Amino acid sequence: MRTVGCLIFDGVRAFDYAVIGEVWANRATRPGVPAFDLRVCGPVGARVRLGGGLERVPDLGLAALAACDLVVVPGVEDPAARRPAEVLDALRAVSSAGVPVASLCAGAFVLAEAGLLDGREATTHWALAPELARRHPAVTVRPEVLFTGGDGVWTSAGVAAGIDLCLHLVRTAHGQQAAAAIARAMVTAPFRAGGQAQFIPSPVPPVDEDDPLARVRAEILAALDTPWTVRRMAAAALMSERTFARRFTATTGTTPLRWLLDQRILTVQRLLEETDLPVDTVATRCGFASAVSLRPVFVKRVGVAPREYRRTFRGREEG
């Protein structure tokens, strides 16, 4: 997934357009990140009016999307506006040809208008989810998640969730190390699971060492091989189980055990990419009984077996 097409047209949100550029524009100063070819495509010869009064002339026409490995649609300022027929036709053509398509925030309305979300689960900004469901009843709208998708079509919730989806797509295609390097350059969180709640009081968990939840999370990450339970976590935080679980979910947007599994799988990916440790050793270091018990969980979360993941992401060229 080296060649990425950013589809722009009148009304695209400038923030989402910038996010796509930050993630996939080639940066010589990002070691460990592949040399991406980001192609900004749109109606031929048109000066596209982005949100906020900005304008951008596409580098290439809509036909160039067919040669991309991934097409990303930014969010739009007005979800109710109708898109140009040529834009919708181009999306249908690339999707039919097997090119993965992703949308950020209200870009889901564009995919839905093109018919790409019929019969699928999708998300968008929580405030727009009821309208998406009303306009497109064939779409199963999930307003509670950060991003969702698979089988070639992806959608994300608003603002920061678009970054989460972009990093997820990089991680899926190029490994955790590449996604983490991009996140580090953007000074953003390297991993938030797609099933995490959209709307939480504190989108970024606090790092105050005096905060018992932050302290417990740090303790868990330093000892993933420990048989952690909610009871054990709560005891470390000096809280009751009910209070701990409620405060943890309110702070992170996910349950303690789901967060723990996310961190274990993420660490497994990093160790498979960066070390030559046997898979059994990687599994036990991350809290799994063995490679056998790790395999079904890893396959469900990542899509491939641990050994296949290692073969895919070890030894890839960085340029």
Side-chain angles (χ1 to χ4, degrees):
M1 196 178 286
R2 299 293 185 91
T3 305
V4 178
C6 175
L7 174 57
I8 63 172
F9 44 87
D10 282 349
V12 160
R13 293 183 70 235
F15 177 87
D16 294 339
Y17 164 73
V19 164
I20 295 167
E22 283 296 319
V23 173
W24 279 292
N26 187 28
R27 301 282 190 274
T29 57
R30 299 193 298 189
V33 179
F36 295 118
D37 178 10
L38 179 63
R39 302 178 179 181
V40 180
C41 305
V44 175
R47 180 177 291 277
V48 171
R49 295 183 296 276
L50 307 178
L54 302 178
E55 293 186 342
R56 173 73 154 86
V57 176
D59 299 326
L60 299 166
L62 295 170
L65 295 172
C68 295
D69 304 318
L70 168 70
V71 172
V72 187
V73 181
V76 292
E77 295 285 345
D78 182 4
R82 293 192 62 82
R83 314 308 150 192
E86 58 181 331
V87 168
L88 301 179
D89 289 343
L91 282 171
R92 296 184 189 107
V94 295
S95 183
S96 296
V99 178
V101 177
S103 68
L104 309 187
C105 195
F109 285 81
V110 183
L111 299 194
E113 193 175 345
L116 303 189
L117 299 183
D118 289 354
R120 297 179 182 271
E121 290 188 344
T123 193
T124 187
H125 191 287
W126 59 268
L128 300 174
E131 182 65 11
L132 180 63
R134 187 188 70 79
R135 286 178 172 272
H136 302 282
V139 181
T140 301
V141 179
R142 296 190 59 196
E144 76 279 9
V145 299
L146 293 178
F147 60 83
T148 189
D151 191 28
V153 180
W154 293 86
T155 57
S156 82
V159 194
I163 300 175
D164 294 320
L165 174 56
C166 291
L167 292 176
H168 173 78
L169 294 171
V170 171
R171 186 181 302 107
T172 300
H174 303 287
Q176 185 215 340
Q177 186 178 9
I182 294 172
R184 192 161 51 247
M186 295 176 68
V187 196
T188 190
F191 178 77
R192 291 201 299 170
Q196 184 168 317
Q198 263 197 56
F199 187 75
I200 56 178
S202 178
V204 179
V207 295
D208 184 356
E209 293 181 0
D210 294 329
D211 173 26
L213 295 181
R215 187 180 67 250
V216 170
R217 285 196 300 270
E219 186 176 338
I220 293 170
L221 291 174
L224 285 173
D225 56 340
T226 298
W228 290 101
T229 62
V230 175
R231 174 177 292 182
R232 188 167 191 161
M233 296 178 195
L238 303 177
M239 297 179 184
S240 69
E241 289 184 54
R242 178 176 295 183
T243 298
F244 176 81
R246 176 175 53 79
R247 289 188 56 186
F248 192 101
T249 302
T251 300
T252 66
T254 189
T255 66
L257 293 181
R258 185 181 180 93
W259 178 88
L260 173 62
L261 183 58
D262 288 340
Q263 302 311 311
R264 282 175 165 162
I265 293 296
L266 187 62
T267 304
V268 168
Q269 290 178 274
R270 179 177 61 79
L271 292 176
L272 290 174
E273 291 181 37
E274 299 177 1
T275 76
D276 295 315
L277 292 171
V279 177
D280 259 318
T281 302
V282 170
T284 56
R285 282 194 180 187
C286 296
F288 297 91
S290 66
V292 174
S293 61
L294 165 65
R295 190 179 192 281
V297 181
F298 194 87
V299 169
K300 183 177 181 179
R301 288 297 185 94
V302 182
V304 296
R307 286 184 173 83
E308 183 180 347
Y309 183 90
R310 170 169 274 171
R311 283 195 298 269
T312 300
F313 294 114
R314 287 300 301 274
R316 281 191 169 184
E317 73 279 14
E318 295 186 356

